[in-house]
């Protein structure tokens, strides 16, 4: 019996975009106030890192299990969008930065849902 081929996460566009978003968030956080280090900054960092991490981890699993990890990555992307709105409200980021990252998150969500639909 032949083992089912697993996905190579490094070749997946969704993983690459997730990593790009993570790096964008990391760059943005350099300008956040120090008192946010254990609050909003930490949350933003963790959920942005969760997106490509869950894609990477899920890629080693069966398609059904991978789909679950993609759900987690999607959830993290929606969480990230909400946290960016909080950062904008606190005036840590401007409208231009917010729009740029929101556009990437929306693209990530569309691509990930499309990829996920192909697994099912």
């Amino acid at each position: 019996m032949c083992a089912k081929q697993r996905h190579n996460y490094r070749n997946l566009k969704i993983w690459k975009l997730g990593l790009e978003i993570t790096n964008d968030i990391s760059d943005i956080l350099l300008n956040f106030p120090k008192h946010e280090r254990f609050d909003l900054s930490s949350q933003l960092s963790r959920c942005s890192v969760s997106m490509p991490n869950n894609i990477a981890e899920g890629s080693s699993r069966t398609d059904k299990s991978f789909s679950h990890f993609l759900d987690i990555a999607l959830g993290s992307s929606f969480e990230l969008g909400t946290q960016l709105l909080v950062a904008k409200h606190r005036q840590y980021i401007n409208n231009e930065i917010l729009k740029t990252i929101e556009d990437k998150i929306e693209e990530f969500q569309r691509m990930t849902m499309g990829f996920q639909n192909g697994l099912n």
Side-chain angles (χ1 to χ4, degrees):
M1 181 174 195
C2 178
K4 181 160 172 49
Q5 183 72 18
R6 302 291 186 214
H7 298 273
N8 181 344
Y9 69 91
R10 290 176 179 252
N11 294 332
L12 297 175
K13 290 178 184 177
I14 56 174
W15 178 80
K16 291 175 184 178
L17 181 56
L19 191 61
E20 181 181 325
I21 292 168
T22 300
N23 290 332
D24 289 346
I25 294 298
S26 180
D27 292 344
I28 290 167
L29 292 177
L30 295 174
N31 298 317
F32 272 43
K34 297 244 186 280
H35 72 271
E36 286 288 2
R37 185 177 38 200
F38 300 109
D39 189 24
L40 186 59
S41 293
S42 176
Q43 249 340 82
L44 281 160
S45 179
R46 284 184 288 158
C47 70
S48 69
V49 169
S50 173
M51 293 161 55
N53 277 354
N54 276 289
I55 293 168
E57 184 175 355
S59 70
S60 70
R61 311 291 176 101
T62 64
D63 284 353
K64 182 178 179 181
S65 185
F66 192 8
S67 183
H68 173 71
F69 279 88
L70 293 174
D71 279 336
I72 296 169
L74 283 167
S76 293
S77 74
F78 284 99
E79 180 183 359
L80 179 60
T82 300
Q83 291 169 359
L84 287 168
L85 291 173
V86 172
K88 170 64 175 83
H89 177 78
R90 293 180 184 176
Q91 299 180 341
Y92 300 157
I93 60 174
N94 61 32
N95 283 329
E96 183 181 340
I97 291 170
L98 177 63
K99 173 82 169 107
T100 299
I101 301 296
E102 280 182 330
D103 288 348
K104 286 184 182 184
I105 292 170
E106 288 174 14
E107 181 182 3
F108 174 85
Q109 291 166 345
R110 278 191 306 276
M111 290 172 61
T112 301
M113 285 184 241
F115 182 81
Q116 188 177 39
N117 288 339
L119 291 177
N120 299 327

